[in-house]
Amino acid sequence: PNAISVKKIELMQACVSKRSIVEMGDSVMYASPDGIVRVGPGMTDVITKNIIDKDFWTSLNPSSIHAHLYDGKYVGFYDNGTPGGFIFDPSNELSPFALMTVTATAAYSDVVRDGLFLAVGTEIRQFADNAALLSYTWKSRRAETGSPLNFGWAKVEARSFPVTMKVYARDTDPGSVTHNQMVLKHTQSVTNQNPFRLPSGFTSDEWEVQFEGSGI
């Protein structure tokens, strides 16, 4: 204890909810007005700044967030009029942030039983203790190709099938009522990892891809 030193955090990011403060082992995380802040040895930053848009984060009502540690993940619950939850996994580079319909008014992380227990209504439930898989929807960020083009083929690599793939493209037709809007161009039910053809007859310079399913 005589070696402890106090250092003021230089990052100008207030904690908007004391119930959002979570000890993550090597660091501490909390909800700020701009996202989730991580504070630890050699790290003090809004760790979600390149992942979560500030307007979207604000829509979750950060001051209502209470969060908890589960299997190395930051599990948060919010109430913006429609209660919900999210999982932030700082170790997952491909998909670090996910929304979920599961919600709770309180929770407790039990390290002895290795579980997160939720207060849901008048019941106590264990998080992720159900064999049934929930459905998911994942949508990519908008990708710009630089010049208009048309993709001819696609392939989905997944651990389980079927997966529903939806392709969105910016409408580049000046005479269209959806000009400059992202329009659904193709929906494909994918049952294996074999390549499949995409529709032709249009080009675009901005693309989004969405996947839906219930596997892992």
Side-chain angles (χ1 to χ4, degrees):
N2 61 357
I4 291 177
S5 61
V6 178
K7 182 179 179 181
K8 184 177 180 180
I9 299 175
E10 298 180 357
L11 184 69
M12 301 296 289
Q13 288 290 334
C15 176
V16 295
S17 171
K18 65 181 181 180
R19 296 181 70 199
S20 72
I21 302 173
V22 177
E23 188 271 316
M24 301 291 293
D26 63 342
S27 62
V28 171
M29 293 187 186
Y30 65 85
S32 79
D34 295 330
I36 300 173
V37 172
R38 186 173 190 174
V39 179
M43 64 177 88
T44 303
D45 202 0
V46 181
I47 194 172
T48 57
K49 62 183 179 182
N50 296 324
I51 303 170
I52 305 173
D53 178 80
K54 182 179 179 181
D55 291 338
F56 174 76
W57 177 253
T58 301
S59 72
L60 300 183
N61 189 17
S63 63
S64 70
I65 291 175
H66 63 95
H68 313 271
L69 175 65
Y70 174 73
D71 197 22
K73 303 173 180 62
Y74 183 90
V75 180
F77 302 93
Y78 63 87
D79 188 352
N80 59 358
T82 304
F86 63 84
I87 301 174
F88 175 66
D89 185 356
S91 64
N92 189 337
E93 297 182 357
L94 296 178
S95 183
F97 186 84
L99 290 173
M100 59 181 177
T101 55
V102 177
T103 186
T105 54
Y108 173 69
S109 182
D110 191 323
V111 295
V112 175
R113 286 181 285 182
D114 191 27
L116 177 62
F117 295 87
L118 312 180
V120 182
T122 58
E123 299 180 344
I124 300 297
R125 301 178 184 176
Q126 186 171 354
F127 182 70
D129 192 40
N130 194 325
L133 296 174
L134 298 176
S135 61
Y136 68 83
T137 299
W138 181 88
K139 194 172 187 178
S140 71
R141 68 176 63 187
R142 189 173 302 185
E144 299 181 5
T145 57
S147 59
L149 54 81
N150 178 271
F151 292 99
W153 292 82
K155 178 182 178 181
V156 176
E157 294 186 1
R159 294 180 181 177
S160 61
F161 293 93
V163 174
T164 299
M165 175 181 174
K166 295 182 178 181
V167 180
Y168 295 82
R170 185 177 74 88
D171 189 346
T172 58
D173 182 1
S176 173
V177 294
T178 58
H179 178 56
N180 276 335
Q181 299 179 27
M182 299 301 292
V183 179
L184 177 62
K185 289 294 187 179
H186 183 64
T187 299
Q188 179 87 20
S189 179
V190 186
T191 58
N192 53 53
Q193 296 188 9
N194 295 335
F196 53 89
R197 289 298 302 266
L198 293 175
S200 60
F202 72 96
T203 60
S204 182
D205 55 359
E206 295 183 11
W207 300 79
E208 294 174 346
V209 182
Q210 179 171 302
F211 296 99
E212 300 171 0
S214 60
I216 57 175

